[in-house]
Amino acid sequence: NNYHERLRFTYEMEIDSSISFLNVKVIRSKTRLITNWFRKPTWSGRYINYYSNHPQKYKINTIYNLVDHAILLSNDCFKQENIKLVYDTLINNCFPEHIIHRHIQKRINFLNNRDHNDTIDVNPTRLNKTHFITIPYVENTSHDLYRLLRNSGFNVVYKITKKLNNLIRRGKDSLHNNDKTSVVYKLNCKDCNLSYIGQTKRHLRTRMKEHCNNIKLHETNHSVISKHRLESGHEFDWSKPNILHSEKYVRKREIAEMFFIKRFNNLINLQKDTDSLNNIY
């Protein structure tokens, strides 16, 4: 390299006539190159436990994923050994033998006939009718709901509610309410029992400043908060808004805002703020 002294190019030498790249080990065998499924020395073989509280299709897809690695990344001479490794790995993760045998064979048959399975449905009418819905996974209950939603034309995606970050907390100081983002909040009047409910994706402190300064605008641009301040001479507690809900997705946050507007009494929110809330709520 003569372009710049800080640019450095590296290379890796083969070891025992082989070199690895991502999940593939490339092996020099006489006059040809063959491949095998590569696993790092730190590979533990630990995957989702069969008896964990996860949807069944996640567990089946774990089998399919391992079989794909064992078959698609390997030369024929390694496939039997790799399938044996897949079997042992699944046994160590508490998968029942009959489940392992059935789905390993099913996946192998699929891969052997994949050239005949590559049919793509390009019907735009069908694509436009596909709707996805996310539901929390609760064993048994979610399966019944899954069947009902599928029959109604929905593709169901499960969401696991209890994740590692619910159990393992990072050692960070909690944020002050005014420094939080993507929240639904309730702003209380200091001088009466009226309140205002809103939502914002920005820092709550920034939204409070906007509410406070809105009164400086022309009266045609006044918010319901500014109108209440002018008509009654009351003031709001800008430094202590209550956070009712946190949600990073804007549509879900808007639904949560409308839900809380319906739930609470003594609000100054306009009635039209909940016009788009479905009657199911």
Side-chain angles (χ1 to χ4, degrees), residues 5 20 27 32 41 60 62 87 90 92 98 105 108 127 130 133 152 190 192 215-216 226 233 237 252 264 267 278:
E5 61 180 8
S20 60
I27 304 168
R32 65 193 184 111
I60 301 305
T62 299
Y87 177 87
L90 293 170
N92 291 335
H98 70 281
Q105 192 57 50
I108 290 175
L127 292 176
T130 301
I133 186 169
S152 300
K190 287 183 177 181
C192 66
I215 200 170
K216 300 176 183 178
S226 296
D237 194 354
K252 291 183 179 180
F264 284 95
L267 298 178
N278 194 293

Side-chain angles (χ1 to χ4, degrees), residues 104-226:
I104 284 181
Q105 192 57 50
K106 181 178 179 180
R107 191 61 177 180
I108 290 175
N109 292 339
F110 173 83
L111 294 175
N112 290 338
N113 297 285
R114 63 184 183 277
D115 292 337
H116 303 290
N117 296 328
D118 290 339
T119 56
I120 302 175
D121 186 358
V122 293
N123 187 342
T125 304
R126 181 173 180 180
L127 292 176
N128 291 335
K129 291 183 179 179
T130 301
H131 301 283
F132 286 88
I133 186 169
T134 303
I135 62 173
Y137 179 74
V138 180
E139 192 173 3
N140 298 326
T141 303
S142 293
H143 294 302
D144 296 336
L145 187 57
Y146 172 85
R147 285 191 290 269
L148 291 173
L149 292 170
R150 287 287 290 182
N151 292 336
S152 300
F154 289 96
N155 278 339
V156 178
V157 178
Y158 291 120
K159 178 174 68 174
I160 306 301
T161 54
K162 185 175 288 187
K163 300 181 181 179
L164 278 178
N165 59 2
N166 299 124
L167 305 174
I168 303 173
R169 296 294 182 181
R170 292 175 292 181
K172 287 188 176 181
D173 295 335
S174 58
L175 290 174
H176 187 276
N177 277 359
N178 283 333
D179 294 322
K180 293 182 179 179
T181 59
S182 301
V183 296
V184 178
Y185 59 89
K186 180 168 173 277
L187 182 60
N188 300 313
C189 179
K190 287 183 177 181
D191 304 299
C192 66
N193 63 347
L194 294 179
S195 302
Y196 172 83
I197 289 178
Q199 63 87 18
T200 181
K201 70 175 182 179
R202 294 168 296 166
H203 289 98
L204 191 52
R205 186 189 313 278
T206 302
R207 187 62 180 136
M208 292 301 103
K209 289 180 181 178
E210 290 178 345
H211 282 313
C212 184
N213 294 330
N214 178 265
I215 200 170
K216 300 176 183 178
L217 302 178
H218 190 271
E219 61 180 10
T220 56
N221 295 320
H222 281 171
S223 64
V224 290
I225 293 178
S226 296

